Amino acid sequence: MATRKHPLLGACATVLALSIGSAFAAELPPGTVISAENIDKVKNDTFEGHTIASLLTEKMEWRIRNNGWKLPLAKSQKVKLDPKWLKASEANAGKTKINAESCQIDGWSAGQPFPSIDMKDPQAAEKIVWNWHLGQLVGDVAIVPFYTQVLIDGQKGVHAEPIAEFTRYAMKGRLSGEATQGDGTQRGRQLLYFKAPSDMKGIGTFTIQYDSVKVNDVWAYVPAVRRVRRLSGGAWMDPVGSSDQLQDDLEIFNARPCWYKGYKLLGKRHVLAVMHSKYPLWNSKGDGFEKKYPVLENKPPYWNMNNNNFEPREVYVVEATTPSEHPYSKKILYIDTQFPRIHYGEAYNRKGEFWKFMEWHSFPGKAEDGFLDIRTAAGAIIDFQRNHATVSLIDTATWKTNPPGVKESDVSLQTLQGAGR
């Protein structure tokens, strides 16, 4: 005759199993490297009180298991935020609102337009993206004289290393002097041109971004024919040269928020991300792969930035739905909750299939005028469908934020043409 198991016995067995699992779980020390070799062993262990499993998104874990990604754990550090930015952001509380018709934020002049996010607010996701668009801690002027876009084949390795200069100039939201320059229609200007190799030298673009629904005005200059060409209004969705990066992928999301069809807040969580990056991560004169690209691992697929510090960061997870003409169907964004910074992005093709993984490594900086900014040390756009990646590495020693004497006229089409001569 079969015996009936008492229900309390099942409950006791469950508690015992959980107790045994907890007994073997451990708090991992900083310096532990999460990799394919140990991920199953450490998934239930913790770091700063979070299980390793909870600190990895689905695609992060997939990369670790299948693509050679390794994450060295680092103790999390507080980021000191600039007092001017904090004051400007706090002044926006209760005064700003999204104007969908004009594609503007009514009541905004500087700082983060929505300093407090209510997770239950139906516009929460859109407000988070607007905070990123208008409230980044990048200063009024940022000049990066040297950075490289390393083009990497997942089997063969690095096959190109063009070097460029990038300048970003804010026309609105300025935190030194007048908040707005010009007539108020422009949000900012961007200047990008290549310095090497010789066949790319002088090629570049000048962009005017507007504080309205109007798409960017973009001009391209080709020095070989000494001609300027105005690009179409859809240039923000176009690739950057021969890289894996769209204009829209600059620092993961580079569009006016109203150009996307919509946003959905998927939640809030912690992930392992690089907020206090090592730097420099690129030595243009380095002898050999390891010295030239100290953040990269010199083995297939060659694009893994395994030699950096990954710390727990709390992020909003936002799904952004693209317009129908966009190459992607959607992006998933992992945006820091303390200030506007995107650590990771996932891009999906028009069939809804996973296409690209985007990863940005950041560090706190201090401008020439004392402004506390957030800077990029490196970024990667990995195209898993063609087994190729573009890794941007910055010469951080030459970066300048808010240098004295830079004027609106210094960031112009004439500047671009002059650089190409």
Side-chain angles (χ1 to χ4, degrees):
M1 180 177 178
T3 56
R4 297 177 62 188
K5 185 182 289 185
H6 195 285
L8 285 177
L9 292 177
C12 290
T14 301
V15 171
L16 180 61
L18 289 173
S19 299
I20 292 172
S22 299
F24 285 101
E27 173 71 10
L28 299 176
T32 302
V33 179
I34 310 302
S35 67
E37 286 71 29
N38 67 1
I39 189 169
D40 286 321
K41 184 187 296 185
V42 303
K43 272 189 75 173
N44 295 323
D45 292 337
T46 60
F47 185 66
E48 297 190 352
H50 306 280
T51 64
I52 297 302
S54 71
L55 292 171
L56 302 175
T57 69
E58 177 191 351
K59 293 299 183 285
M60 288 176 70
E61 182 173 337
W62 178 84
R63 276 191 65 192
I64 292 170
R65 290 185 180 279
N66 301 287
N67 201 240
W69 200 21
K70 299 174 184 177
L71 279 63
L73 300 180
K75 185 178 179 181
S76 61
Q77 302 177 52
K78 291 190 70 173
V79 179
K80 186 177 180 181
L81 303 179
D82 187 82
K84 286 184 181 179
W85 181 86
L86 283 170
K87 183 178 180 181
S89 298
E90 290 163 2
N92 292 326
K95 298 179 181 177
T96 52
K97 66 177 182 178
I98 299 171
N99 187 328
E101 186 175 340
S102 65
C103 187
Q104 292 175 311
I105 302 300
D106 293 343
W108 174 81
S109 60
Q112 194 170 215
F114 303 102
S116 179
I117 298 294
D118 180 357
M119 297 288 287
K120 297 179 181 178
D121 182 349
Q123 290 187 304
E126 192 174 359
K127 288 179 177 179
I128 291 166
V129 176
W130 273 107
N131 279 347
W132 160 255
H133 185 67
L134 296 177
Q136 294 180 51
L137 278 151
V138 293
D140 296 340
V141 184
I143 301 175
V144 181
F146 295 95
Y147 82 94
T148 182
Q149 286 190 331
V150 186
L151 305 184
I152 302 175
D153 181 288
Q155 290 185 326
K156 300 177 182 178
V158 175
H159 62 86
E161 186 192 45
I163 297 172
E165 175 167 335
F166 178 76
T167 300
R168 182 188 344 231
Y169 189 95
M171 296 291 288
K172 298 188 78 169
R174 299 174 66 86
L175 292 169
S176 56
E178 294 294 323
T180 300
Q181 289 189 357
D183 61 6
T185 60
Q186 296 183 23
R187 184 181 74 84
R189 298 180 169 200
Q190 293 181 352
L191 186 65
L192 166 69
Y193 62 91
F194 289 94
K195 294 183 170 182
S198 57
D199 61 342
M200 293 182 66
K201 186 176 180 180
I203 296 173
T205 58
F206 168 63
T207 304
I208 294 179
Q209 302 165 308
Y210 294 96
D211 189 31
S212 65
V213 72
K214 185 179 179 181
V215 295
N216 299 339
D217 276 328
V218 184
W219 292 267
Y221 180 65
V222 181
V225 294
R226 294 190 177 184
R227 292 189 63 181
V228 172
R229 183 167 64 93
R230 189 169 181 170
L231 304 183
S232 71
W236 67 277
M237 297 179 283
D238 293 341
V240 178
S242 58
S243 74
D244 303 275
Q245 177 176 302
L246 306 183
Q247 296 283 352
D248 181 30
D249 296 334
L250 178 65
E251 294 184 316
I252 300 178
F253 189 92
N254 187 41
R256 187 79 172 170
C258 59
W259 297 344
Y260 270 60
K261 288 174 66 175
Y263 303 91
K264 182 179 180 181
L265 183 56
L266 301 181
K268 188 162 63 170
R269 59 173 296 169
H270 283 79
V271 296
L272 290 172
V274 178
M275 189 55 243
H276 291 84
S277 177
K278 299 176 184 178
Y279 59 88
L281 300 179
W282 171 50
N283 178 6
S284 61
K285 299 178 181 178
D287 182 18
F289 188 99
E290 287 81 2
K291 291 183 179 179
K292 199 169 191 179
Y293 316 114
V295 73
L296 299 175
E297 187 171 52
N298 190 14
K299 59 188 292 188
Y302 301 101
W303 57 60
N304 284 321
M305 295 192 284
N306 291 345
N307 303 314
N308 216 333
N309 301 316
F310 290 79
E311 64 182 87
R313 296 296 302 180
E314 186 181 55
V315 295
Y316 296 114
V317 185
V318 174
E319 179 179 295
T321 305
T322 62
S324 59
E325 61 271 28
H326 199 289
Y328 308 148
S329 62
K330 67 179 180 180
K331 279 184 180 179
I332 306 296
L333 309 172
Y334 297 84
I335 308 172
D336 204 289
T337 61
Q338 187 187 4
F339 50 86
R341 191 66 176 172
I342 305 178
H343 298 298
Y344 298 114
E346 300 163 11
Y348 293 78
N349 66 17
R350 299 311 304 182
K351 295 180 181 179
E353 301 165 333
F354 175 57
W355 184 1
K356 297 179 185 178
F357 188 94
M358 307 177 188
E359 162 190 5
W360 242 247
H361 294 199
S362 313
F363 67 99
K366 190 173 183 178
E368 274 78 350
D369 64 352
F371 180 81
L372 302 177
D373 63 342
I374 303 297
R375 304 185 181 188
T376 297
I381 308 291
I382 306 169
D383 184 334
F384 282 103
Q385 293 188 359
R386 71 181 189 119
N387 196 32
H388 196 274
T390 300
V391 178
S392 297
L393 299 171
I394 314 301
D395 181 356
T396 48
T398 60
W399 183 306
K400 295 178 182 177
T401 297
N402 295 349
V406 181
K407 306 181 296 297
E408 169 190 343
S409 57
D410 295 327
V411 187
S412 64
L413 184 56
Q414 289 71 31
T415 309
L416 176 63
Q417 291 173 295
R421 295 194 178 110

